[in-house]
Amino acid sequence: MKVIFAGTPEFAAVALRSLHEAGFEIPLVLTQPDRPAGRGLHLQPSAVKQFALSQGIEVLQPLSLRMDSKDPQRAAEAKAAHERLLATDYDVMVVAAYGLILPRATLDIKPCLNIHGSLLPRWRGAAPIHRAIEAGDDETGVTIMQMEEGLDTGPMLLMERVAIGPHDNTGMLHDSLAALGAKMIVQALRKMEQGTLEAVPQPEAGVTYAAKISKEEAALDFNLPALEVGLKIRAFNPFPGAHALVNGVVVKIWAAEAIEADSSFEPGQVLAADAQLGIVVACGAGSLRLTELQKPGGKRLPAAEFIKGFPLEGLRFA
């Protein structure tokens, strides 16, 4: 089979690499335009583009695929991309975390399969891994689905479940699901080749939406119960990085665990900050033991190391 691939971040690059290694012919890759990154804000190619170029695969980077865009440049690029797709000999398009909407005109050319990091219909949308952890879900997984115009509403083709461990953060789960999705998309295309790939409509019950993550969400509110604050810390690791203000300094909190402790103290109050007890902070219900922190310009440190250079006793997180 000849496969056009559309994707942008590392999650997608893992799948592209798997398809390439499985021997599928990939005549064209679509990915988002290069973005400024790093301290110098130099333009950086996406992980998908880097892999594609390393293998000599043609890369297309339109700003949009919507030919009806009111922006003349976007409309022109979309039209050129559409014509390129029509001129390309391919059997199926595989999409993984592309970041652009595929309009009906694109979906109508050839079948489009999507690798989605959740157990659909739960967590349709942009940030399924973050939201599953934030919500305290016990499990998640990967769904291979056939794309249609609705947001992650298409029929399901393959699904596999993954347990969410009590200490899993988004980075850990991302890597697990990326590897699983890469394996599953190869299985799906093999079944398609054999004519044994079956589509099952998504159930109408249990639909939830995983809204895009904003940096503002990462500011912790210790008025919430300790369990909720702990889930947010795990969900926002590594991006955007949960943080709180203490003594006028924004401190990032990378790991923590909820504990049973006296919650009669003001939320955010540091109850302990020593090598023996660790860093314990009062919450709206229960308390939180912070286990990995980072001050501006510093390294991520275990709590015992962090307090050597940043005493917290008697202070309050806000």
Side-chain angles (χ1 to χ4, degrees):
M1 296 183 73
K2 295 179 181 178
V3 181
I4 285 182
F5 187 88
T8 299
E10 182 61 26
F11 183 91
V14 175
L16 176 59
R17 188 177 302 114
S18 180
L19 291 170
H20 183 267
E21 291 174 353
F24 290 101
E25 184 177 342
I26 305 171
L28 181 66
V29 160
L30 302 180
T31 192
Q32 287 207 43
D34 297 358
R35 304 290 189 200
R39 292 186 176 180
L41 294 180
H42 300 297
L43 288 178
Q44 297 292 331
S46 71
V48 162
K49 179 179 179 179
Q50 292 179 51
F51 179 79
L53 293 180
S54 74
Q55 303 302 319
I57 302 171
E58 181 184 352
V59 176
L60 203 60
Q61 296 177 272
L63 287 168
S64 173
L65 292 175
R66 301 189 68 91
M67 292 182 285
D68 59 354
S69 173
K70 295 181 180 179
D71 183 320
Q73 182 180 357
R74 289 175 180 268
E77 290 196 16
K79 185 175 186 297
H82 184 70
E83 291 174 350
R84 183 69 184 85
L85 292 174
L86 291 174
T88 302
D89 179 19
Y90 72 103
D91 302 295
V92 62
M93 178 183 288
V94 170
V95 182
Y98 181 27
L100 294 183
I101 295 173
L102 268 61
R104 170 56 57 189
T106 301
L107 297 172
D108 283 346
I109 301 174
K110 296 286 183 178
C112 296
L113 306 191
N114 179 249
I115 307 169
H116 188 76
S118 82
L119 302 174
L120 291 171
R122 187 162 177 78
W123 302 128
R124 294 173 178 171
I129 301 175
H130 293 79
R131 299 306 182 191
I133 292 179
E134 184 185 20
D137 290 1
D138 294 327
E139 64 174 3
T140 185
V142 171
T143 305
I144 306 296
M145 70 168 190
Q146 186 164 336
M147 297 184 70
E148 55 184 34
E149 282 190 285
L151 177 63
D152 299 327
T153 58
M156 303 179 295
L157 305 169
L158 291 178
M159 177 184 287
E160 288 198 29
R161 298 174 181 273
V162 172
I164 301 178
H167 301 293
D168 284 345
N169 59 43
T170 290
M172 297 171 184
L173 204 53
H174 167 280
D175 292 349
S176 297
L177 296 184
L180 178 59
K183 180 192 76 171
M184 289 172 63
I185 193 60
V186 171
Q187 293 173 344
L189 294 186
R190 295 295 186 213
K191 286 178 176 286
M192 181 179 279
E193 285 178 319
Q194 298 160 6
T196 60
L197 190 62
E198 297 183 3
V200 178
Q202 292 188 34
E204 295 181 6
V207 175
T208 58
Y209 290 94
K212 186 177 180 180
I213 299 295
S214 69
K215 290 184 178 180
E216 289 73 23
E217 290 181 80
L220 295 176
D221 180 2
F222 287 95
N223 290 291
L224 296 173
L227 284 172
E228 287 188 37
V229 180
L231 289 171
K232 290 180 181 294
I233 290 169
R234 289 166 51 203
F236 300 147
N237 182 354
F239 176 83
H243 62 268
L245 189 68
V246 59
N247 202 27
V249 178
V250 176
V251 173
K252 286 201 170 183
I253 302 170
W254 294 109
E257 57 184 2
I259 59 174
E260 290 186 9
D262 186 352
S263 56
S264 62
F265 292 89
E266 189 175 6
Q269 183 66 44
V270 177
L271 306 181
D274 57 54
Q276 187 174 17
L277 296 175
I279 300 171
V280 180
V281 180
C283 295
S287 298
L288 205 63
R289 178 176 283 117
L290 312 184
T291 56
E292 186 179 14
L293 305 91
Q294 181 181 18
K295 63 182 179 181
K299 298 179 180 179
R300 294 167 60 154
L301 295 173
E305 293 296 317
F306 182 84
I307 57 178
K308 290 179 181 178
F310 198 117
L312 289 170
E313 190 173 350
L315 298 181
R316 178 174 175 265
F317 283 91

